[in-house]
């Protein structure tokens, strides 16, 4: 910011700066003292710029006179600040570094007094006529919000949610971290585990969340099965006859059969048939994270793993365990964040003064945004820079080495054969004959 203050700014740069400062100053989740100190600092930095100096002075005076309020005429606080934040407390649970260290705990949550009664009341639900209980609400989600209701069991516990958020935040830009809270949303004295995004909006409640709807696509796929393969009984016959193989009816195979690479634009979206397009399918180009893995990470990762393949040539289970614990997907995410996305975000936000929305807005007539463009430029530079590729390879090797050492400390590894209990399929295996009197509950004196 000091470098910015020393240079002459144009009107667009001033507008970006004012919008960013206004957004920070109006953040009701921040203490008044922090917002006032921030505006005071900005006024000092831009005191030589007449426009910014005047704006920061007015904003500073406003903050002093109207703490915890909006610059706009409306004083309505957002839902998160007014209803959720006061009673929500961040989880204090420290997640173990390795999954193998997860141990049983005597209580469900890290602090029995962690959650408080929530001030926001959902209110009594009223069923719409003609709808079974809850179906009116579900219909609104499916039909109006165009979303599918999904469930992740691992996020239904504090430990599971905290671990998931911990992993997610490793790839998030600084200041954009997600958080886990334990609170009582509906005041039934049963705590909920909720996950909030960087803006404080709740995204997960006890593992339940909303995802983009695939209703039209799934319906089109099922219609293909119904018309091409028949009823479930007919499909069963065809399977026995060997006319339907494994995966022939899968959604992935159906989409594969209805798409192909555009030879004129191999990096762009796949060409899809009209059947897929009518079902709402939108072919996507490789995102920059995929590009980074395909053209940078994979080659370097394979080179590191080749050495371990020779080391564990006589122990394939050990190699499989290592590749699972130090997967290419997790390593790619870490390297992509460190060398591509985080530097790109910093460049656009600090040096070009762009907001998150401006970064993600695509250029007219293209699928390219300033953020993806900046990421692609950095990937291209890495591909051409052998020294930097060697640096990334060293980081990959270090991560795999540490994972291998951790697996060695764990001692046991491999595959545990499943032994089925004798009464697994029939818990009443010892009752070899039917006794009507016992079943009927008749007791004779």
């Amino acid at each position: 910011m000091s470098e910015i203050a020393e240079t002459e700014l144009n009107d667009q740069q001033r507008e970006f700066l004012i919008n960013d400062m206004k957004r920070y100053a109006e953040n009701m989740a921040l203490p008044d003292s922090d917002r006032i100190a921030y505006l005071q600092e900005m006024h000092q930095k831009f005191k030589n710029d007449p426009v910014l100096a005047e704006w920061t002075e007015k904003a500073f005076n406003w903050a002093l006179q109207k703490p915890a309020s909006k610059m706009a005429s409306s004083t309505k606080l957002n839902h998160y600040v007014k209803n959720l934040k006061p009673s929500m407390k961040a989880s204090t649970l420290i997640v173990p570094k390795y999954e193998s260290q997860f141990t049983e705990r005597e209580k469900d949550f890290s602090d029995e007094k962690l959650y408080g009664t929530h001030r926001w009341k959902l209110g009594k639900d009223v069923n719409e006529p003609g709808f079974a209980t809850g179906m009116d609400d579900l219909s609104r989600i499916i039909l109006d919000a165009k979303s599918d209701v999904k469930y992740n069991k691992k996020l239904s516990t504090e430990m599971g949610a905290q671990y998931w958020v911990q992993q997610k935040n490793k790839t998030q830009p600084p200041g954009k971290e997600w958080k886990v809270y334990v609170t009582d949303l509906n005041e039934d004295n049963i705590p909920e585990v909720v996950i909030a995004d960087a803006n404080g909006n709740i995204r997960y409640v006890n593992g339940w969340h909303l995802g983009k709807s695939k209703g039209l696509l799934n319906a089109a796929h099922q219609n293909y099965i119904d018309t091409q393969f028949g009823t479930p009984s007919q499909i069963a016959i065809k399977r026995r006859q060997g006319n339907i193989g494994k995966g022939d009816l899968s959604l992935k195979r159906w989409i594969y059969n209805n798409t192909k690479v555009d030879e004129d634009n191999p990096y762009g979206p796949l060409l899809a048939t009209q059947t897929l397009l009518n079902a709402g399918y939108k072919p996507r180009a490789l995102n920059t994270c995929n590009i980074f893995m395909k053209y940078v990470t994979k080659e370097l990762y394979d080179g590191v793993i080749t050495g371990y393949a020779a080391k564990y040539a006589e122990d394939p289970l050990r190699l499989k365990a290592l590749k699972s614990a130090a997967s290419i997907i997790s390593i790619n995410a870490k390297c992509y964040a460190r060398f591509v996305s985080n530097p790109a975000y910093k460049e656009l936000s600090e040096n070009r003064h762009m907001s998150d929305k401006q970064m993600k807005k695509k250029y007219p007539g293209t699928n390219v945004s300033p953020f993806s463009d900046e990421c692609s430029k950095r990937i291209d530079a890495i591909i051409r820079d052998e020294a930097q590729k060697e640096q990334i390879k060293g980081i990959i090797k270090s991560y795999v080495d540490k994972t291998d050492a951790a697996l060695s400390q764990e001692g046991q590894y491999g595959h545990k054969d499943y032994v089925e209990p004798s009464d697994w399929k029939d818990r009443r295996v010892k009752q070899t004959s039917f006794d009507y009197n016992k079943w009927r509950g008749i007791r004779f004196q």
Side-chain angles (χ1 to χ4, degrees):
M1 295 294 289
S2 59
E3 295 178 1
I4 298 174
E6 295 171 0
T7 60
E8 194 170 322
L9 302 175
N10 57 39
D11 291 341
Q12 185 180 31
Q13 289 174 322
R14 288 193 186 95
E15 183 181 354
F16 287 159
L17 275 171
I18 289 175
N19 288 335
D20 287 343
M21 289 188 289
K22 187 173 185 290
R23 188 180 300 107
Y24 184 92
E26 289 185 341
N27 187 348
M28 296 298 104
L30 295 173
D32 290 331
S33 58
D34 289 357
R35 297 188 293 125
I36 291 173
Y38 170 78
L39 289 171
Q40 190 174 24
E41 180 185 358
M42 292 300 102
H43 178 67
Q44 184 64 27
K45 285 186 176 180
F46 297 109
K47 61 183 180 181
N48 295 327
D49 187 300
V51 176
L52 291 177
E54 181 181 2
W55 188 92
T56 52
E57 183 178 5
K58 288 182 179 179
F60 175 71
N61 292 331
W62 162 85
L64 286 176
Q65 297 171 5
K66 298 181 179 180
S69 62
K70 285 281 188 179
M71 288 186 186
S73 58
S74 173
T75 58
K76 182 179 179 182
L77 301 182
N78 63 53
H79 165 68
Y80 165 67
V81 174
K82 183 178 180 181
N83 298 318
L84 302 186
K85 186 175 175 58
S87 60
M88 291 170 63
K89 297 183 179 180
S91 170
T92 58
L93 175 66
I94 299 176
V95 180
K97 189 173 182 180
Y98 295 103
E99 292 88 332
S100 60
Q101 296 176 4
F102 276 40
T103 56
E104 294 183 2
R105 293 183 292 164
E106 296 179 355
K107 51 189 178 182
D108 294 334
F109 300 99
S110 56
D111 186 347
E112 292 178 352
K113 298 180 180 180
L114 185 63
Y115 66 95
T117 303
H118 210 281
R119 293 199 302 170
W120 181 47
K121 295 183 179 180
L122 288 172
K124 184 176 178 58
D125 185 34
V126 179
N127 292 328
E128 296 288 346
F131 287 85
T133 302
M135 284 305 300
D136 52 345
D137 301 315
L138 180 61
S139 298
R140 290 189 181 99
I141 292 173
I142 297 173
L143 303 178
D144 294 340
K146 308 297 182 186
S147 300
D148 288 343
V149 181
K150 299 183 178 182
Y151 179 65
N152 187 335
K153 183 180 178 182
K154 296 178 180 178
L155 306 187
S156 63
T157 65
E158 182 193 2
M159 178 174 282
Q162 192 69 280
Y163 180 78
W164 183 85
V165 167
Q166 184 187 72
Q167 300 305 308
K168 180 176 181 62
N169 284 342
K170 290 180 180 179
T171 60
Q172 290 290 98
K176 298 295 179 180
E177 293 82 5
W178 288 35
K179 293 182 180 180
V180 177
Y181 297 92
V182 180
T183 187
D184 186 0
L185 291 175
N186 58 345
E187 299 182 0
D188 61 353
N189 294 321
I190 300 175
E192 283 84 47
V193 177
V194 299
I195 298 175
D197 61 20
N199 296 320
N201 298 318
I202 292 179
R203 294 296 189 93
Y204 292 78
V205 178
N206 290 339
W208 293 96
H209 60 285
L210 298 181
K212 188 176 180 180
S213 177
K214 295 183 179 179
L216 287 176
L217 186 67
N218 289 330
H221 175 233
Q222 185 58 44
N223 183 65
Y224 160 75
I225 294 175
D226 293 342
T227 56
Q228 299 297 318
F229 298 93
T231 64
S233 60
Q234 292 172 328
I235 290 174
I237 293 173
K238 292 177 181 179
R239 286 190 187 279
R240 291 194 293 269
Q241 293 174 339
N243 295 325
I244 297 178
K246 182 179 180 181
D248 284 352
L249 305 186
S250 68
L251 176 64
K252 185 176 181 180
R253 180 61 179 268
W254 180 63
I255 292 177
Y256 174 84
N257 291 338
N258 282 274
T259 55
K260 63 179 181 179
V261 175
D262 185 353
E263 298 299 334
D264 295 328
N265 184 21
Y267 303 111
L270 296 174
L271 297 176
T273 63
Q274 196 60 43
T275 300
L276 276 183
L277 297 177
N278 291 341
Y281 180 81
K282 295 182 180 180
R284 295 184 300 176
L286 285 174
N287 61 42
T288 50
C289 187
N290 296 145
I291 292 174
F292 185 74
M293 181 162 69
K294 181 176 176 64
Y295 296 104
V296 179
T297 308
K298 188 177 186 306
E299 179 184 358
L300 303 178
Y301 178 83
D302 288 346
V304 172
I305 291 297
T306 299
Y308 278 99
K311 179 180 178 180
Y312 296 120
E314 303 299 324
D315 195 352
L317 284 179
R318 183 67 172 80
L319 179 63
K320 184 177 180 180
L322 177 61
K323 292 173 71 174
S324 175
S327 68
I328 185 174
I329 294 177
S330 63
I331 290 178
N332 181 71
K334 292 179 176 65
C335 293
Y336 175 76
R338 176 172 175 178
F339 291 94
V340 181
S341 62
N342 285 354
Y345 182 86
K346 185 176 181 180
E347 165 68 22
L348 296 176
S349 62
E350 295 185 5
N351 296 337
R352 303 188 197 176
H353 323 302
M354 300 181 72
S355 66
D356 289 4
K357 185 176 181 179
Q358 291 166 335
M359 290 182 200
K360 300 298 174 66
K361 186 177 181 180
K362 295 178 181 178
Y363 297 121
T366 73
N367 286 320
V368 179
S369 66
F371 182 74
S372 64
D373 190 29
E374 183 65 26
C375 288
S376 297
K377 289 178 181 177
R378 292 179 181 276
I379 293 172
D380 184 58
I382 292 172
I383 292 174
R384 301 169 186 273
D385 189 340
E386 292 298 327
Q388 193 166 27
K389 286 168 69 175
E390 281 299 314
Q391 180 187 2
I392 296 174
K393 184 176 181 179
I395 292 172
I396 294 175
K397 187 176 186 307
S398 174
Y399 182 81
V400 176
D401 289 345
K402 290 179 181 178
T403 305
D404 183 58
L407 290 176
S408 298
Q409 291 178 359
E410 290 177 2
Q412 182 178 348
Y413 64 90
H415 176 73
K416 179 182 177 181
D417 293 329
Y418 174 68
V419 180
E420 189 176 273
S422 60
D423 61 347
W424 179 253
K425 295 179 181 178
D426 181 7
R427 296 303 299 273
R428 299 167 184 82
V429 67
K430 294 181 180 180
Q431 319 312 128
T432 57
S433 62
F434 177 66
D435 187 328
Y436 169 76
N437 290 328
K438 283 186 177 181
W439 174 85
R440 184 68 173 78
I442 298 175
R443 295 180 180 275
F444 296 99
Q445 299 296 333

